[in-house]
Amino acid sequence: MYEGAIQDLIDELGRLPGVGPKSAQRIAFHVLSADPADVNRLAGALRKVKELVRFCTSCYNVAESEQCRICRDPRRTDEVLCVVEEPKDVVAIERTGEFRGRYHVLGGAINPLEGIGPDNLRIRELMTRLGGGAVRELILATDPNTEGEATATYLALMVKPMGIAVTRLASGLPVGGDLEYADEITLGRAFEGRRAV
């Protein structure tokens, strides 16, 4: 529709996940009308993230050094390891303030339709970590969808012979939700995971 640099920017923005053609156009025109200092700050942040951010050599979370801040923290226990799909899942769990163990980021979930199998994830690295003998409990915190369940089941079968306790995050009804709007699977899991009060 447009020509030159503005169309190039719209095209590049449109390649970002969750950004459709209209959003890409809106963002591009916002950038065009923005203060040059704001645009330079954004461009600098994009360059900086590509130059400085890497994956932690221990857990594969995002980091700016060899290890992430969680792996460097001596107050955390090595006996409990929480397996998540992506670095954003680490942030979600950390916000709760409930977990004081370590993490392992798989880099996705098993999804045969997308061509993602166990060899495409950091499962081999996980098994190496578990072989060290420090981990007593493995928490499977993969997403509660088909791919996450398949990944959790696969990992549970792999880890079972090692004698490590394997647990799965509970799932069920959200706080403030109404029973009438809950789907059957969520409601069923809420019944399975019920606890005494």
Side-chain angles (χ1 to χ4, degrees):
M1 283 195 203
Y2 302 95
E3 60 182 62
I6 192 73
Q7 186 60 50
D8 292 344
L9 179 58
I10 292 169
D11 292 343
E12 289 305 314
L13 290 168
R15 293 176 53 190
L16 296 172
V19 178
K22 288 187 187 254
S23 293
Q25 181 177 318
R26 207 169 19 254
I27 296 168
F29 279 99
H30 172 77
V31 168
L32 184 63
S33 64
D35 184 76
D38 293 339
V39 175
N40 286 335
R41 231 182 1 265
L42 173 62
L46 289 170
R47 274 192 304 278
K48 200 170 174 183
V49 78
K50 285 308 288 178
E51 292 167 4
L52 300 178
V53 178
R54 61 186 80 153
F55 292 108
C56 173
T57 57
S58 298
C59 73
Y60 302 96
N61 190 13
V62 290
E64 287 192 13
S65 60
E66 285 292 308
Q67 288 191 315
C68 69
R69 65 173 177 78
I70 296 169
C71 288
R72 290 191 314 263
D73 188 347
R75 297 170 297 174
R76 300 192 79 115
T77 180
D78 292 329
E79 293 186 353
V80 184
L81 189 65
C82 183
V83 176
V84 296
E85 293 178 22
E86 301 291 344
K88 60 185 167 54
D89 301 326
V90 171
V91 173
I93 294 170
E94 283 296 294
R95 273 197 307 254
T96 69
E98 297 291 323
F99 183 65
R100 298 304 307 157
R102 308 279 182 188
Y103 293 94
H104 186 85
V105 181
L106 294 172
I110 295 171
N111 187 345
L113 296 176
E114 298 284 327
I116 302 170
D119 292 338
N120 302 109
L121 305 175
R122 296 185 190 102
I123 294 175
R124 191 172 15 265
E125 293 85 347
L126 172 63
M127 300 309 285
T128 301
R129 285 182 80 181
L130 295 176
V135 178
R136 301 278 172 250
E137 180 186 2
L138 184 70
I139 301 171
L140 301 175
T142 53
D143 291 342
N145 56 26
T146 306
E147 295 82 13
E149 292 294 334
T151 305
T153 302
Y154 179 85
L155 291 174
L157 291 171
M158 294 279 292
V159 174
K160 196 170 197 104
M162 300 176 87
I164 298 170
V166 179
T167 58
R168 181 94 168 103
L169 285 186
S171 60
L173 299 171
V175 173
D178 291 319
L179 286 178
E180 65 179 297
Y181 300 118
D183 63 274
E184 297 83 20
I185 294 172
T186 300
L187 198 51
R189 286 187 180 161
F191 269 97
E192 286 173 19
R194 68 189 185 277
R195 57 190 169 92
V197 291

